[in-house]
Amino acid sequence: MTAALSTTKRALDLGPAVELVSKEEGHRQPLAPEFVSAEDFSPLEVAYDFGKVRREDIEAGPKNIWRYKKLLPVPSNVEEIPNTEPGCTRLVRADRLAKALGVKRIWVKDDTGNPTHSFKDRVVAVALAAAREFGFEVLACPSTGNLANAVAAAAARAGWESVVLIPSSLERAKILTTAVYDGALIAVDGNYDDVNRLATQLAAENENWAFVNVNVRPYYSEGSKTLAFEVAEQLGWRLPEQIVVPIASGSQLTKVDKGFRELGELGLVEASPYRVFGAQATGCSPVSAAFRAGHDVVQPVKPDTIARSLAIGNPADGPYVLDTVTRTGGAIEDVSDEEVVEGIRLLARTEGIFTETAGGVTVATAKKLIETGKLDPDAETVLLITGDGLKTLDALEDRIGPRATVPPSADAVRKVLEG
Ligand SMILES: *Cc1c(COP(=O)(O)O)cnc(C)c1O
């Protein structure tokens, strides 16, 4: 009896999470490191029993995403376990940007302030917390760059091994800022979609590896809800009217919507209407193309854009992005690489925020949506700025620099400034 008891696995504690449910037909199954339903082959999503969640409990929580632990699939004592503690990034009222774009009110959610300087720290922190609960000890991923940083850093902090697969063509900065954490970083000759396929194969072969965006994807993706939670809390517990979200796999966009809905359902905010807009680079715009054509499936493409963190040609959540955008009355647009660089520079010039190419996509797409009348200039709009410009300096190379190089003379400086 005693022996049997001591070998009994203790109950899984993933907080309010109770089951996995398939997105298409709603088949239910126990919480496990699985991502596709064996019943209908659709993605699995976490189902919850939230109970009562109060604003005061959240406000009394830590200044990171664990303040929302009662809304996430993570252990009850998650804040006591080593992780990167991302979140609580600033929401900046961007009046100068709003003026430049000719709209009334814009807020910039500046996720460059996370530990590895992108929103990916949020999803990885949740994936790591859930993976630990499932008994994994290796954190792995295929990545377009930011995920590589986040996984390698989180694994280092947790004392885990990491296996990170990247396309060999990735920006040098993103390679170095991953390699420094000293996990197993492997560059693969191929694009992200090749790397992703390889990861799916390796996940099947290595049962003790938690691939954050493959076998523990249902938990990982819930981390993006914290963007919605923070925006709502920072606005004084209310929802914005419009939000513009960059699309890679599409997970973030669908989960920001899920986060807003949950807040409304739990009575934490008034369930006011909001519209979700999607942003892509034209060189990798399969979801934007499907939206324009009125399709409900997404035709894969071969990416060719400087916005490499968004360069997923076969986005797993593409159809769900189309659902979300259509249901909320939003739209999806795409912008050229030239416009992406303009977007980066516009945000820097007006608000002093330096974003990576993905943020340039968001800003430039917002501009286009305003110009084409799809985004209401009188409604309050949030832009999700998801990554830091220091990681994609290549995009600006040979385009900007000093106004002049002069000898150390006041006269010479004056001459340049006079023009
Ligand atoms: C990964 C990423 C996104 C979008 O991610 P999804 O796969 O759509 O969830 C957006 N911005 C940056 C900077 C990213 O790295």
Side-chain angles (χ1 to χ4, degrees), residues 67-111:
R67 68 202 278 107
Y68 307 108
K69 69 177 179 180
K70 288 183 167 172
L71 304 169
L72 295 170
V74 294
S76 319
N77 67 338
V78 68
E79 69 274 25
E80 294 161 22
I81 309 167
N83 207 318
T84 56
E85 289 98 35
C88 287
T89 59
R90 60 193 185 140
L91 182 72
V92 179
R93 189 170 139 170
D95 289 347
R96 279 172 42 79
L97 177 63
K99 186 152 182 259
L101 293 176
V103 302
K104 207 148 125 195
R105 169 101 8 118
I106 288 184
W107 298 91
V108 167
K109 181 62 173 163
D110 180 11
D111 245 14

Side-chain angles (χ1 to χ4, degrees), residues 118-120 144 146 246-252 309-310 312 356 358 386-387:
S118 89
F119 108 96
K120 288 295 198 302
T144 58
N146 287 314
I247 301 167
S249 73
S251 169
Q252 177 180 198
S309 56
L310 302 181
I312 298 185
E356 71 150 76
T386 47

Side-chain angles (χ1 to χ4, degrees), residues 136-365:
F136 290 101
E137 287 173 359
V138 179
L139 207 59
C141 72
S143 171
T144 58
N146 287 314
L147 189 60
N149 294 163
V151 162
R157 169 113 175 95
W160 286 25
E161 287 174 40
S162 64
V163 179
V164 170
L165 308 168
I166 52 169
S168 53
S169 66
L170 211 59
E171 295 98 330
R172 194 168 156 69
K174 284 185 179 158
I175 295 175
L176 294 179
T177 52
T178 303
V180 71
Y181 300 110
D182 217 15
L185 171 64
I186 298 168
V188 179
D189 286 325
N191 64 24
Y192 176 78
D193 297 284
D194 299 321
V195 178
N196 193 30
R197 253 192 314 277
L198 175 62
T200 309
Q201 189 185 334
L202 288 168
E205 288 172 11
N206 296 277
E207 282 186 2
N208 57 338
W209 294 5
F211 270 94
V212 295
N213 51 345
V214 184
N215 52 346
V216 292
R217 187 174 177 87
Y219 312 93
Y220 159 94
S221 59
E222 290 290 295
S224 285
K225 293 191 309 190
T226 61
L227 274 165
F229 299 156
E230 284 179 25
V231 165
E233 186 180 354
Q234 287 168 320
L235 287 175
W237 291 109
R238 61 183 181 82
L239 304 183
E241 296 172 280
Q242 308 184 116
I243 187 161
V244 185
V245 189
I247 301 167
S249 73
S251 169
Q252 177 180 198
L253 186 145
T254 63
K255 296 294 177 163
V256 164
D257 168 59
K258 187 167 184 247
F260 284 157
R261 269 187 292 139
E262 286 175 355
L263 291 179
E265 284 160 13
L266 286 163
L268 289 163
V269 299
E270 186 194 322
S272 56
Y274 57 85
R275 300 200 287 156
V276 181
F277 294 84
Q280 293 208 293
T282 304
C284 182
S285 51
V287 192
S288 176
F291 181 80
R292 195 174 305 126
H295 294 161
D296 55 9
V297 291
V298 171
Q299 205 62 253
V301 300
K302 234 183 154 60
D304 179 17
T305 168
I306 57 168
R308 280 182 246 177
S309 56
L310 302 181
I312 298 185
N314 188 10
D317 288 299
Y320 305 110
V321 167
L322 294 169
D323 286 349
T324 301
V325 169
T326 306
R327 171 168 46 75
T328 63
I332 306 174
E333 264 298 353
D334 54 81
V335 289
S336 69
D337 284 358
E338 203 58 45
E339 291 171 296
V340 171
V341 173
E342 276 311 306
I344 293 173
R345 297 181 65 182
L346 176 62
L347 183 64
R349 182 165 74 232
T350 54
E351 300 296 340
I353 296 171
F354 182 24
T355 182
E356 71 150 76
T357 46
V361 169
T362 303
V363 173
T365 298

